[in-house]
Short mmCIF file of all heavy atoms in Angstrom, two decimals:
data_model
loop_
_atom_site.label_atom_id
_atom_site.label_comp_id
_atom_site.label_asym_id
_atom_site.label_seq_id
_atom_site.Cartn_x
_atom_site.Cartn_y
_atom_site.Cartn_z
N LYS A 196 0.86 -1.18 0.00
CA LYS A 196 0.00 0.00 0.00
C LYS A 196 0.89 1.22 0.00
O LYS A 196 1.99 1.21 0.54
CB LYS A 196 -0.90 0.02 1.25
CG LYS A 196 -1.96 -1.04 1.23
CD LYS A 196 -2.86 -0.89 2.43
CE LYS A 196 -3.94 -1.97 2.37
NZ LYS A 196 -4.96 -1.76 3.38
N GLY A 197 0.40 2.30 -0.61
CA GLY A 197 1.17 3.53 -0.62
C GLY A 197 0.43 4.63 -1.34
O GLY A 197 -0.72 4.46 -1.77
N PHE A 198 1.10 5.77 -1.45
CA PHE A 198 0.54 6.87 -2.22
C PHE A 198 1.68 7.68 -2.79
O PHE A 198 2.80 7.65 -2.32
CB PHE A 198 -0.39 7.75 -1.37
CG PHE A 198 0.30 8.53 -0.30
CD1 PHE A 198 0.80 9.80 -0.56
CD2 PHE A 198 0.45 8.01 0.97
CE1 PHE A 198 1.44 10.53 0.43
CE2 PHE A 198 1.09 8.72 1.96
CZ PHE A 198 1.59 9.98 1.69
N GLY A 199 1.37 8.40 -3.84
CA GLY A 199 2.33 9.29 -4.48
C GLY A 199 1.71 10.66 -4.60
O GLY A 199 1.11 11.16 -3.65
N ARG A 200 1.81 11.22 -5.77
CA ARG A 200 1.29 12.57 -5.98
C ARG A 200 -0.20 12.67 -5.74
O ARG A 200 -0.70 13.71 -5.35
CB ARG A 200 1.59 13.02 -7.41
CG ARG A 200 3.03 13.33 -7.61
CD ARG A 200 3.26 13.91 -8.97
NE ARG A 200 4.69 14.08 -9.18
CZ ARG A 200 5.22 14.33 -10.35
NH1 ARG A 200 4.46 14.41 -11.42
NH2 ARG A 200 6.51 14.47 -10.46
N GLN A 201 -0.93 11.59 -6.00
CA GLN A 201 -2.38 11.68 -5.83
C GLN A 201 -2.77 11.78 -4.36
O GLN A 201 -3.85 12.24 -4.04
CB GLN A 201 -3.10 10.51 -6.51
CG GLN A 201 -3.15 9.22 -5.71
CD GLN A 201 -2.06 8.23 -6.07
OE1 GLN A 201 -0.95 8.61 -6.44
NE2 GLN A 201 -2.35 6.96 -5.97
N GLY A 202 -1.88 11.38 -3.46
CA GLY A 202 -2.13 11.55 -2.03
C GLY A 202 -3.32 10.78 -1.50
O GLY A 202 -3.90 11.16 -0.50
N GLY A 203 -3.72 9.72 -2.15
CA GLY A 203 -4.88 8.95 -1.72
C GLY A 203 -6.11 9.36 -2.50
O GLY A 203 -6.03 10.01 -3.53
N LYS A 204 -7.27 8.98 -1.98
CA LYS A 204 -8.52 9.35 -2.65
C LYS A 204 -9.64 9.42 -1.62
O LYS A 204 -9.54 8.87 -0.52
CB LYS A 204 -8.87 8.38 -3.77
CG LYS A 204 -9.15 6.97 -3.32
CD LYS A 204 -9.47 6.07 -4.50
CE LYS A 204 -9.72 4.65 -4.03
NZ LYS A 204 -10.07 3.77 -5.12
N THR A 205 -10.71 10.10 -2.00
CA THR A 205 -11.87 10.24 -1.11
C THR A 205 -12.92 9.22 -1.50
O THR A 205 -13.23 9.06 -2.68
CB THR A 205 -12.44 11.66 -1.21
OG1 THR A 205 -11.40 12.58 -0.88
CG2 THR A 205 -13.60 11.85 -0.25
N GLU A 206 -13.46 8.52 -0.52
CA GLU A 206 -14.51 7.52 -0.73
C GLU A 206 -15.75 7.92 0.05
O GLU A 206 -15.67 8.70 1.00
CB GLU A 206 -14.03 6.15 -0.23
CG GLU A 206 -12.84 5.57 -0.95
CD GLU A 206 -13.22 4.75 -2.15
OE1 GLU A 206 -14.36 4.28 -2.22
OE2 GLU A 206 -12.35 4.58 -3.03
N VAL A 207 -16.89 7.37 -0.34
CA VAL A 207 -18.12 7.57 0.41
C VAL A 207 -18.64 6.21 0.82
O VAL A 207 -18.77 5.30 -0.01
CB VAL A 207 -19.18 8.32 -0.44
CG1 VAL A 207 -20.48 8.45 0.34
CG2 VAL A 207 -18.66 9.68 -0.87
N PHE A 208 -18.92 6.04 2.13
CA PHE A 208 -19.45 4.79 2.65
C PHE A 208 -20.64 5.11 3.54
O PHE A 208 -20.51 5.83 4.53
CB PHE A 208 -18.37 4.03 3.44
CG PHE A 208 -18.84 2.72 4.00
CD1 PHE A 208 -19.08 1.64 3.17
CD2 PHE A 208 -19.06 2.57 5.36
CE1 PHE A 208 -19.51 0.43 3.67
CE2 PHE A 208 -19.50 1.37 5.88
CZ PHE A 208 -19.73 0.29 5.03
N ARG A 209 -21.82 4.59 3.16
CA ARG A 209 -23.06 4.82 3.91
C ARG A 209 -23.30 6.29 4.19
O ARG A 209 -23.64 6.70 5.29
CB ARG A 209 -23.06 4.03 5.21
CG ARG A 209 -23.09 2.54 4.97
CD ARG A 209 -23.28 1.78 6.25
NE ARG A 209 -23.35 0.35 5.95
CZ ARG A 209 -23.38 -0.58 6.85
NH1 ARG A 209 -23.37 -0.27 8.13
NH2 ARG A 209 -23.44 -1.84 6.50
N GLY A 210 -23.04 7.10 3.17
CA GLY A 210 -23.31 8.53 3.27
C GLY A 210 -22.21 9.34 3.93
O GLY A 210 -22.28 10.56 3.94
N SER A 211 -21.22 8.69 4.48
CA SER A 211 -20.11 9.41 5.12
C SER A 211 -18.90 9.42 4.20
O SER A 211 -18.52 8.40 3.65
CB SER A 211 -19.72 8.75 6.44
OG SER A 211 -20.79 8.81 7.34
N GLU A 212 -18.30 10.58 4.07
CA GLU A 212 -17.12 10.73 3.24
C GLU A 212 -15.87 10.52 4.09
O GLU A 212 -15.80 10.99 5.22
CB GLU A 212 -17.11 12.13 2.63
CG GLU A 212 -16.15 12.29 1.50
CD GLU A 212 -16.30 13.64 0.81
OE1 GLU A 212 -17.23 13.79 0.00
OE2 GLU A 212 -15.49 14.52 1.11
N TYR A 213 -14.92 9.77 3.56
CA TYR A 213 -13.66 9.56 4.28
C TYR A 213 -12.53 9.47 3.28
O TYR A 213 -12.73 9.20 2.10
CB TYR A 213 -13.72 8.32 5.17
CG TYR A 213 -13.87 7.02 4.41
CD1 TYR A 213 -12.77 6.23 4.14
CD2 TYR A 213 -15.12 6.59 3.96
CE1 TYR A 213 -12.90 5.04 3.44
CE2 TYR A 213 -15.26 5.41 3.25
CZ TYR A 213 -14.14 4.63 3.00
OH TYR A 213 -14.27 3.47 2.30
N LYS A 214 -11.31 9.73 3.76
CA LYS A 214 -10.14 9.73 2.88
C LYS A 214 -9.35 8.43 3.05
O LYS A 214 -9.07 8.02 4.17
CB LYS A 214 -9.25 10.92 3.21
CG LYS A 214 -8.07 11.05 2.29
CD LYS A 214 -7.48 12.44 2.35
CE LYS A 214 -6.26 12.51 1.48
NZ LYS A 214 -6.40 13.28 0.30
N VAL A 215 -9.04 7.81 1.93
CA VAL A 215 -8.17 6.63 1.91
C VAL A 215 -6.79 7.13 1.48
O VAL A 215 -6.61 7.54 0.34
CB VAL A 215 -8.70 5.56 0.92
CG1 VAL A 215 -7.75 4.38 0.87
CG2 VAL A 215 -10.10 5.14 1.28
N GLU A 216 -5.85 7.12 2.42
CA GLU A 216 -4.53 7.66 2.12
C GLU A 216 -3.60 6.63 1.50
O GLU A 216 -2.78 6.96 0.65
CB GLU A 216 -3.90 8.25 3.37
CG GLU A 216 -4.61 9.51 3.82
CD GLU A 216 -3.91 10.19 4.98
OE1 GLU A 216 -2.84 9.72 5.41
OE2 GLU A 216 -4.45 11.20 5.46
N LEU A 217 -3.70 5.38 1.93
CA LEU A 217 -2.83 4.34 1.39
C LEU A 217 -3.62 3.48 0.41
O LEU A 217 -4.56 2.79 0.80
CB LEU A 217 -2.26 3.47 2.52
CG LEU A 217 -1.35 4.21 3.50
CD1 LEU A 217 -0.94 3.28 4.64
CD2 LEU A 217 -0.13 4.75 2.80
N LEU A 218 -3.22 3.53 -0.85
CA LEU A 218 -3.93 2.80 -1.90
C LEU A 218 -3.24 1.46 -2.16
O LEU A 218 -2.01 1.36 -2.10
CB LEU A 218 -3.96 3.63 -3.18
CG LEU A 218 -4.62 5.00 -3.04
CD1 LEU A 218 -4.47 5.78 -4.32
CD2 LEU A 218 -6.08 4.85 -2.67
N PRO A 219 -4.02 0.42 -2.47
CA PRO A 219 -3.42 -0.88 -2.75
C PRO A 219 -2.65 -0.87 -4.07
O PRO A 219 -3.12 -0.32 -5.07
CB PRO A 219 -4.62 -1.83 -2.82
CG PRO A 219 -5.80 -0.96 -3.10
CD PRO A 219 -5.48 0.39 -2.54
N LYS A 220 -1.48 -1.46 -4.04
CA LYS A 220 -0.61 -1.59 -5.22
C LYS A 220 0.04 -2.96 -5.19
O LYS A 220 -0.04 -3.68 -4.20
CB LYS A 220 0.50 -0.52 -5.21
CG LYS A 220 0.03 0.92 -5.11
CD LYS A 220 -0.54 1.41 -6.40
CE LYS A 220 -0.90 2.89 -6.24
NZ LYS A 220 -1.37 3.47 -7.47
N LEU A 221 0.70 -3.32 -6.29
CA LEU A 221 1.52 -4.52 -6.33
C LEU A 221 2.96 -4.11 -6.59
O LEU A 221 3.23 -3.29 -7.47
CB LEU A 221 1.07 -5.46 -7.45
CG LEU A 221 -0.29 -6.14 -7.28
CD1 LEU A 221 -0.57 -7.02 -8.48
CD2 LEU A 221 -0.35 -6.94 -6.01
N LYS A 222 3.88 -4.70 -5.83
CA LYS A 222 5.30 -4.50 -6.08
C LYS A 222 5.81 -5.72 -6.82
O LYS A 222 5.69 -6.85 -6.34
CB LYS A 222 6.07 -4.30 -4.78
CG LYS A 222 7.55 -4.05 -5.01
CD LYS A 222 8.26 -3.52 -3.78
CE LYS A 222 8.52 -4.60 -2.78
NZ LYS A 222 9.42 -4.17 -1.70
#
């Protein structure tokens, strides 16, 4: 998991917005 320039992303779950900072990747 990690992030670069995009700095994560914003998700919505059950009407609540939250930020996912570490995104899944493959090394």
